[in-house]
Amino acid sequence: MREIVFELCAESIDACLVARAGGANRIELCRALSEGGLTPSPGLIQEAVRCSGLPVHVLLRPRGGNFIYTDTEFAVMREDLKHMRLLGVGGIVLGLLHEDATVDVERTRELVAIAGPLDVTFHRAFDQASSLDQALEDVISTGCSRVLTSGGERNVVSGAQSLARLVKQAEGRIEVAVG
């Protein structure tokens, strides 16, 4: 039986403290959940790391909308990631796609290299990929530690068959986080 890791998505210090009190194993920290989550401020990151007592994985997403980033947005992501490392985060959560709904392998690899040795999660941008099977291979090739997915569906119940197939395809090469 696989160990269940409980990760809570938080956008405030109070939520981080509730996560700890409620038995969470780690926190995914972001802001603007109403927009699907955006990169939190350095002050929020620093305080979450200091106060929570849990590994804090921070969302690296400079704006809402799609996951296709301009060169300028990507430069901001690189700089934000460098600052996150200095603040002592436990991991990074990101997702980059091309216009054709394939994983942006080159840019993702670059961010994984900057993050090293931190855990890097490829988030639910994965579910928007044109082929989940190919996207999984692409994410694995980037060096990400895990992929967060609902199996390409709105929720994990609807995506259950796809999730089972992805876990089997992953063959332990990457952690498949269901969410």
Side-chain angles (χ1 to χ4, degrees):
M1 177 147 213
R2 291 186 173 94
E3 175 189 1
I4 295 175
V5 176
F6 174 39
E7 177 178 285
L8 185 107
C9 194
E11 58 181 342
S12 70
I13 297 303
D14 288 343
C16 292
L17 297 176
V18 167
R20 182 180 68 199
N25 299 96
R26 68 177 170 248
I27 294 167
E28 180 183 317
L29 187 67
C30 64
R31 68 178 174 83
L33 280 170
S34 61
E35 293 186 53
L38 300 174
T39 301
S41 72
L44 179 57
I45 295 169
Q46 183 174 341
E47 287 305 298
V49 169
R50 186 181 72 78
C51 294
S52 71
L54 295 172
V56 176
H57 292 211
V58 180
L59 183 62
L60 186 60
R61 186 175 182 213
R63 60 156 172 80
N66 65 33
F67 304 102
I68 304 158
Y69 298 107
T70 66
D71 291 343
T72 303
E73 290 167 332
F74 185 66
V76 169
M77 293 171 82
R78 281 194 312 258
E79 291 305 311
D80 281 347
L81 175 51
K82 291 174 187 175
H83 291 287
M84 289 173 192
R85 285 182 51 114
L86 295 174
L87 294 172
V89 304
I92 304 298
V93 181
L94 53 77
L96 296 89
L97 300 174
H98 289 295
E99 297 261 350
D100 65 355
T102 58
V103 172
D104 186 337
V105 172
E106 183 178 310
R107 284 181 166 180
T108 302
R109 271 190 191 135
E110 184 176 339
L111 293 175
V112 169
I114 294 169
L118 300 175
D119 281 341
V120 178
T121 300
F122 196 97
H123 62 52
R124 288 199 50 208
F126 177 86
D127 291 325
Q128 294 183 15
S130 55
S131 164
L132 296 185
D133 295 339
Q134 183 58 54
L136 182 61
E137 296 304 321
D138 289 343
V139 171
I140 290 169
S141 78
T142 67
C144 286
S145 312
R146 84 185 45 82
V147 59
L148 174 62
T149 179
S150 61
E153 299 293 335
R154 183 171 174 82
N155 60 57
V156 297
V157 174
S158 299
Q161 287 183 336
S162 180
L163 286 165
R165 188 185 77 250
L166 290 166
V167 168
K168 185 175 181 177
Q169 179 185 343
E171 297 176 322
R173 298 176 291 156
I174 191 170
E175 180 182 334
V176 178
V178 176

